[in-house]
Amino acid sequence: MSKIIAICNNKGGVGKTTTVFHLAGAFSEKGANVLTVDLDQQRNLSGLFQHRYASKTIYNVLVDDLPIQDAIRPTEFPNISVVPASADLKNHRPRSRW
Ligand SMILES: Nc1ncnc2c1ncn2[C@@H]1O[C@H](COP(=O)(O)OP(=O)(O)O)[C@@H](O)[C@H]1O
Ligand SMILES: [Mg+2]
């Protein structure tokens, strides 16, 4: 059975990225298959996994309706994958519904 854990806080520099990185490592060492999703335009988690400049990102999933499977990248760590973030996330404004 899969579980989803979201690490979010509006304040920067409080340990969000570090927490995700090490939780992924701990869960994978326990035998879990871990998918991490970087939703921060700073892309620091993507960078830790060597995918800071990915061509397909969570931005394309959210804005361009790219299937998320197409944005998943392997990492150097066994059983840890990442959907990288994009710097474009900081520029996006949703289209008005009115
Ligand atoms: N438990 C901790 N103890 C000491 N320093 C930490 C700890 N967790 C994170 N840091 C450091 O604090 C800084 C900010 O952490 P980071 O995970 O990048 O925060 P965020 O993702 O919330 O911006 C980094 O330099 C990181 O290495
Ligand atoms: Mg961060």
Side-chain angles (χ1 to χ4, degrees):
M1 195 173 98
S2 63
K3 291 183 188 297
I4 299 172
I5 302 174
I7 307 293
C8 46
N9 191 308
N10 200 37
K11 185 166 169 52
V14 295
K16 301 181 296 293
T17 299
T18 307
T19 299
V20 172
F21 189 73
H22 289 285
L23 274 182
F27 283 127
S28 69
E29 286 181 4
K30 289 283 186 187
N33 196 16
V34 182
L35 173 64
T36 60
V37 181
D38 190 0
L39 281 151
D40 189 336
Q41 49 87 12
Q42 293 185 58
R43 298 164 292 151
N44 290 335
L45 184 72
S46 307
L48 287 172
F49 288 133
Q50 311 300 325
H51 289 292
R52 182 176 292 276
Y53 301 103
S55 57
K56 295 175 182 170
T57 71
I58 195 67
Y59 180 90
N60 304 116
V61 175
L62 295 172
V63 178
D64 305 325
D65 293 328
L66 179 75
I68 193 166
Q69 290 86 345
D70 293 352
I72 296 174
R73 292 289 169 264
T75 74
E76 64 191 285
F77 304 100
N79 300 322
I80 302 178
S81 312
V82 62
V83 177
S86 166
D88 291 339
L89 288 165
K90 69 174 179 290
N91 299 321
H92 186 67
R93 295 289 179 272
R95 283 187 291 275
S96 171
R97 293 183 187 277
W98 293 282

